[in-house]
Amino acid sequence: KHAPKSLVELLSAGRGHGDATLIVYEDERWTFNEFYQKVDSLRSWLVNQKEIKNGDRVAIAMRNYPEWLVAFTASVLSGAITVPLNSWGKADELLHGLGDCEPVVLFCDQQRYDFVASSAKNMTTDLVVARSESIDTSVAVKLDSLLLETDDFPPIAEVESDSTALVLYTSGSTGYPKGVILTHRTMGQCLMNMYYVGALCSQFADPAMEKFSSIAPCNLITVPLFHGTGLWGGFFVPLQMGGKVVLMYKWDAKKALSLIEQEQVTLIGTVPAIVRSLLKDPDFDQYNTETLCRVSMAGSLTPHDLPELIHEKLGYVSRSTGWAMTETCSIGSSMGDRIYDDRPDSAGLVSPIVDLRMVDDEGNVVPDGEEGEIECNGVTMTPGYWRRPDATAEIYHGDWLRTGDVAYLDDEGYLYIVDRIKDMVLRGGENIYCAEVESAIFDHPAVAECTVFGVVDDRLGEEVGAAIYLTPGQSIDAADVREHCAGQLAKFKIPRYIWFTNEALPRNASGKFLKRELRDTLQVSDSH
C-alpha cells in the first residue's frame, strides 16, 4: 500500500538529492540537480511547444546516453505514454515500432536518425536528435538546444494509476516485436517489490558483507535502458535512493573493469554471459574490484559453475538471481545473499505479489514438484500487447498469464527453471532441454560461451547442435567436448554438431544469445 501510485510519483522522488552525482558517462558527471534541470527544460518544451497530453506517445531510440534518461523522465512527467524502442535493431524494426505506436516525438541518436531520416518528411513524428553530428534541421531538432535552462515550467502531469505508463517492445526473436503495456500502478509495485526483496535478503546477509556498509551505492548499467533489467534496478532504484549510475556506450569487459575501479562500483546487474565475460577477462586481476559487493543475474539460466566463479574472483559477495518477463514487469521470483547460497541452481522464491502455477500441455495444473509451463497471476501482469488483441488472447489462460517457460517448485517453494518450451530439441520423439546441455558444456574450463539449438535431421527430425566460443588461449576440439559431456548427459543428448567460433557469440539487446541466427548461418559438415 505504500508503493508509489504512479511512475510520475516515482520519478519525482529523486529531486531531494541535490548536488550528489547521479550519472557518470565517459568524462561527464551529472548531479541530480543538473539532471532535473535538463528534465524540466525538456518537459517544458514537450508540454508548452508540442502540447503533449496524457495518452500521447513519446518514443526513445538511442544508445545508453545520459540524454536517454532525461528524455524518458521528461516524457513521463509530461503525462505521455513513454515507448523505449530497441536501439540494437535495424531500420525496418525501428520504422515498424514507430508505425505501431505512432509517437508525437521520437528522441534518437545520430545512428537511429540516419535509419529514419529518409522517411522523415512522410512522418507525423517530430525527430529530436541527441549528440547529433549531421541532421536536416527542416525535419529534426538538436536535443541539446532544448535542454537550456528555463523558468517556464508547466505543472507535473497527473495520471491515473491504472492508465498506461510504458510500452516496452519484446526482443522479437521471431517476426516483429510486440509492445508490452505496463501501467503506472505496476511500476510502483515493481519498485516496492525490489525494496522488499532487498530488505528480506539483508536479514540473511553474511557477516562478511558488513565491510561494504560504508560504501556509497553505485550501479554499473551493462544492459540497454530499453530493457527492464537496466531501467528498473539500474535507474529507478538509484534515482530514489541517491545512488550513482555509471553508463557504458557498449559492453566491453576491460572498460567495465576500469570503471569498477575508478567509480567504486558496488553493483552490477546483468545477464550471466556478461558476468562470465567480466570474470574471465585475462586482465581481471590487474584491476581493483574490492567495492563490487553485489552481482545480480537475470535474463537467462545461470550456468551451475558461475556462482563459484564469482566467489573465486570476488570473494564473498551478495549473489542474486531471479526469473521474470517483460510481461510481468520483471517480477516473478528472486533471491540473494544466503538465500541464494542455499539454492544457487534455482531461480529463487516467488514474490509475495505474484501467484505461480505449473500446467501440462492440456492446461491442467500439475502438483508441486512436477514440471510444467509457468502461468502467472498478480498485480504486475501486463493487461496485454499494444494494439494486438489477438496476441493478448494467446498469452492469457483465463486470468493467468502463459509464460512459455518450463519449471517446477520444490517442497520449500524454490522455483527451478528447466527451459523455454520453444527452446527444446525434439530428437526422435525425445525432448531435450537446451539448458541442460548448455550447463554440461559450460562446466568445461576451456569454454567461455556456448549455446545449444536444434539442427534439422532427416532421420530423427532434429539433432543437438552447439556453438562454442573458447576462453582466449584455450584449445579443445569437438571430441573433447563430447567426452566431457558423456560424464553428465545421456548419450542421445550429447551434441552431434559442434562449431567453434573465433568471436564471442552474438547476443540480442537483452544479452541473450541469438540461437536462431547461429542455427541459420552455421553450416553443417561431416567435420563437426
Side-chain angles (χ1 to χ4, degrees), residues 158-411:
E158 296 182 4
V159 297
E160 296 293 330
S161 291
D162 290 323
S163 64
T164 299
L166 303 180
V167 175
L168 286 180
Y169 282 83
T170 59
S171 54
S173 55
T174 58
Y176 283 119
K178 300 184 291 291
V180 178
I181 297 171
L182 299 175
T183 68
H184 280 278
R185 185 190 307 277
T186 291
M187 306 312 302
Q189 292 292 319
C190 171
L191 182 76
M192 191 60 72
N193 184 84
M194 290 182 182
Y195 290 158
Y196 164 79
V197 171
L200 175 67
C201 293
S202 69
Q203 300 304 306
F204 301 92
D206 191 276
M209 292 295 292
E210 182 63 28
K211 66 181 180 181
F212 298 112
S213 60
S214 61
I215 302 174
C218 176
N219 288 20
L220 177 63
I221 298 182
T222 66
V223 292
L225 288 165
F226 58 79
H227 185 260
T229 302
L231 192 54
W232 302 177
F235 178 55
F236 290 175
V237 173
L239 187 75
Q240 278 220 327
M241 301 188 70
K244 183 170 63 175
V245 173
V246 180
L247 300 175
M248 299 180 68
Y249 179 76
K250 64 177 181 179
W251 172 250
D252 178 89
K254 284 185 175 56
K255 177 67 173 176
L257 287 167
S258 176
L259 287 169
I260 290 169
E261 178 179 89
Q262 172 187 314
E263 300 297 333
Q264 295 190 305
V265 170
T266 60
L267 167 67
I268 179 172
T270 189
V271 294
I274 286 181
V275 175
R276 180 184 288 275
S277 71
L278 179 78
L279 300 178
K280 286 208 166 189
D281 188 90
D283 296 328
F284 179 89
D285 294 333
Q286 297 180 24
Y287 294 88
N288 183 347
T289 58
E290 291 181 354
T291 61
L292 188 58
C293 58
R294 297 188 181 279
V295 178
S296 177
M297 296 168 288
S300 62
L301 295 178
T302 301
H304 63 80
D305 67 317
L306 192 51
E308 183 57 35
L309 179 62
I310 295 171
H311 180 74
E312 174 191 333
K313 291 291 189 177
L314 297 173
Y316 188 88
V317 299
S318 173
R319 300 168 294 183
S320 62
T321 190
W323 169 88
M325 304 168 64
T326 303
E327 287 85 346
T328 68
C329 196
S330 299
I331 301 301
S333 67
S334 58
M335 60 181 180
D337 293 281
R338 285 182 171 179
I339 300 174
Y340 179 96
D341 298 340
D342 284 344
R343 299 286 195 281
D345 55 341
S346 83
L349 298 166
V350 179
S351 162
I353 60 173
V354 171
D355 289 323
L356 299 187
R357 69 182 187 184
M358 313 302 158
V359 300
D360 60 22
D361 292 343
E362 283 74 45
N364 302 310
V365 178
V366 302
D368 286 352
E370 292 188 16
E371 294 179 3
E373 180 185 1
I374 305 173
E375 292 190 340
C376 301
N377 197 335
V379 69
T380 65
M381 302 302 109
T382 178
Y385 295 114
W386 180 259
R387 294 177 173 174
R388 288 291 306 274
D390 56 329
T392 300
E394 288 178 3
I395 62 165
Y396 270 100
H397 178 193
D399 293 332
W400 292 80
L401 179 75
R402 303 179 59 190
T403 68
D405 285 323
V406 178
Y408 65 92
L409 288 165
D410 72 8
D411 56 2

